[in-house]
Amino acid sequence: MAKVKLQRFELIALLEDSKKLTDFLQHYGCAHIEKNDNKLSGEAYIQNLSPITDTFRNKLETAIKAKDILEINCNLKKSFIDSLNDFVELEMHEYKQLCDDADIIFQKCIKVCDTERMIEEIKEQSAQKKSLIDKYKLWDNLDIPMNSSQTVSTAIFLGNMRFRYTKEEFLKSLSDNLSEDIAFDCEIVSSSDLQTCVFVICHKSDSKEVSTALSKLGFTKPDNPAKKLVKKAVSDVENEVRELEEKLEKEKSDLISYASFYDEIRFLCDYCTMILDKYEAVSKAVTTSNTIYYEGYVPERNGDQLKFEIEKSFTAQLE
């Protein structure tokens, strides 16, 4: 592994030149800035740039997320080898225009992220409704709404029992847990090896004892019971699923159309990274009311050139 001999430098310049000077060091590309809070004394201080860096860090995270979303959904991700050659040259006026449009590009990133979030929400809603349809279909043979609980003189119990029961088996199991004078009837709406859907009816005056006996047998009421006839409820939910699927296709189409944002979003990732690097460098410098002071390292072979360029371009001294 090649080693480069480094040379330490100290740089003092006018505070009014700090932005241009930091840009210069950044573009120069071979100067490493050190934090030097050991130099603090008197009126010297290190600027707190956390509010600014937090803002750009949030923008960078959003831009990276939007870029990743487009790469996955729009087949834009390149292989590692191809990505090494995937650089775009910009004219200065193009670069300045993109910098000016950074906030607009950020809003496009938000739009990409919001669309992807909406797609996931629609998928989740659709899955929940399909699950609800499967639950309702267990009660397909029921000719009253699932949320029915009573008539004028009777109490109604609709629910699930674990394991498979025949009508005779269920009648015996429930009777064994009731007083002999309790009258009731039941129907098996559907059954499988995992559960049995039952309908139980009794006189209202016996409802408390019947409810207790059912609980002992592991009876549970269905979640989110249909408030209408099951066949109608299934049809309505199936229509809702179709509407969600149509909405999903539209959101997916919108997301694919955002592929045209990709190059701008890639630029925003680089731009925010560059700005963060710049503010990180400034936050390491000691400042006074009129001056800014940097410490750092530069490859020894570039030291003289860096000193010449800075002292020629700025009111500054580098040692």
Side-chain angles (χ1 to χ4, degrees):
M1 182 177 178
K3 295 183 179 179
V4 177
K5 190 173 182 180
L6 298 178
Q7 183 179 44
R8 184 175 181 81
F9 72 82
E10 297 183 15
L11 169 62
I12 187 167
L14 294 177
L15 182 60
E16 64 188 45
D17 291 332
S18 60
K19 183 179 183 302
K20 291 181 180 178
L21 185 57
T22 304
D23 286 342
F24 175 85
L25 290 171
Q26 190 174 44
H27 293 152
Y28 195 75
C30 61
H32 172 71
I33 306 299
E34 287 270 288
K35 189 166 185 177
N36 44 59
D37 44 10
N38 59 317
K39 299 288 185 180
L40 294 178
S41 63
E43 64 173 17
Y45 63 95
I46 289 180
Q47 299 181 71
N48 177 19
L49 300 175
S50 296
I52 299 174
T53 56
D54 288 348
T55 297
F56 277 98
R57 193 166 287 109
N58 174 62
K59 288 185 176 182
L60 176 60
E61 290 172 357
T62 303
I64 290 174
K65 182 179 179 181
K67 181 175 77 72
D68 291 344
I69 290 170
L70 292 179
E71 287 179 347
I72 293 170
N73 291 277
C74 305
N75 196 29
L76 295 171
K77 192 170 182 63
K78 293 179 170 60
S79 69
F80 175 73
I81 298 299
D82 289 340
S83 66
L84 294 177
N85 299 314
D86 190 25
F87 296 102
V88 178
E89 289 190 12
L90 295 174
E91 297 292 337
M92 184 54 70
H93 72 276
E94 294 175 313
Y95 170 78
K96 289 182 177 179
Q97 185 61 56
L98 286 168
C99 291
D100 291 341
D101 292 343
D103 288 339
I104 296 173
I105 300 171
F106 179 63
Q107 292 304 314
K108 293 179 180 179
C109 294
I110 293 175
K111 186 179 291 188
V112 170
C113 294
D114 285 349
T115 302
E116 196 259 353
R117 178 179 52 78
M118 180 62 70
I119 287 172
E120 294 305 314
E121 287 179 1
I122 293 172
K123 286 180 179 178
E124 184 178 349
Q125 290 173 21
S126 182
Q128 290 173 350
K129 290 188 180 297
K130 287 176 181 178
S131 176
L132 187 60
I133 289 171
D134 291 338
K135 291 178 182 178
Y136 282 174
K137 284 185 175 180
L138 296 172
W139 298 89
D140 226 17
N141 296 322
L142 189 67
D143 56 5
I144 61 173
M146 284 176 65
N147 67 337
S148 301
S149 61
Q150 62 183 9
T151 65
V152 174
S153 59
T154 63
I156 296 171
F157 300 90
L158 290 164
N160 306 84
M161 303 290 297
R162 287 180 296 174
F163 313 120
R164 184 189 294 273
Y165 281 88
T166 63
K167 181 174 181 179
E168 292 72 22
E169 291 170 337
F170 181 75
L171 283 170
K172 183 177 184 311
S173 295
L174 187 55
S175 296
D176 289 345
N177 287 276
L178 292 172
S179 305
E180 291 184 1
D181 59 340
I182 299 293
F184 71 93
D185 197 9
C186 76
E187 290 293 336
I188 303 298
V189 181
S190 67
S191 65
S192 68
D193 291 339
L194 298 177
Q195 66 176 342
T196 299
C197 298
V198 297
F199 165 87
V200 180
I201 188 169
C202 67
H203 195 273
K204 269 188 177 180
S205 60
D206 299 324
S207 62
K208 186 174 181 180
E209 186 173 345
V210 171
S211 177
T212 301
L214 285 170
S215 297
K216 290 180 180 178
L217 294 174
F219 175 88
T220 57
K221 293 183 178 181
D223 295 330
N224 197 12
K227 298 177 181 179
K228 58 187 80 171
L229 293 178
V230 174
K231 292 187 187 304
K232 179 67 167 67
V234 168
S235 176
D236 289 347
V237 178
E238 285 176 338
N239 287 334
E240 292 174 7
V241 170
R242 279 191 289 272
E243 290 175 2
L244 285 171
E245 288 175 346
E246 290 174 4
K247 188 176 180 181
L248 179 62
E249 289 306 310
K250 181 183 180 304
E251 295 294 336
K252 285 183 175 180
S253 178
D254 287 345
L255 185 58
I256 291 173
S257 73
Y258 298 156
S260 60
F261 301 163
Y262 183 65
D263 287 339
E264 291 178 321
I265 291 174
R266 285 178 60 200
F267 170 83
L268 186 63
C269 291
D270 293 339
Y271 175 74
C272 289
T273 300
M274 183 176 66
I275 295 296
L276 281 170
D277 287 346
K278 176 165 61 178
Y279 281 115
E280 183 179 351
V282 173
S283 68
K284 292 177 179 178
V286 172
T287 59
T288 68
S289 57
N290 297 309
T291 61
I292 187 164
Y293 172 83
Y294 297 91
E295 287 183 0
Y297 294 90
V298 65
E300 189 174 54
R301 63 174 178 268
N302 300 115
D304 291 341
Q305 182 66 26
L306 179 63
K307 177 178 174 66
F308 173 77
E309 293 290 343
I310 285 181
E311 293 182 356
K312 180 185 73 171
S313 304
F314 302 96
T315 304
Q317 184 173 356
L318 185 145
E319 296 295 338

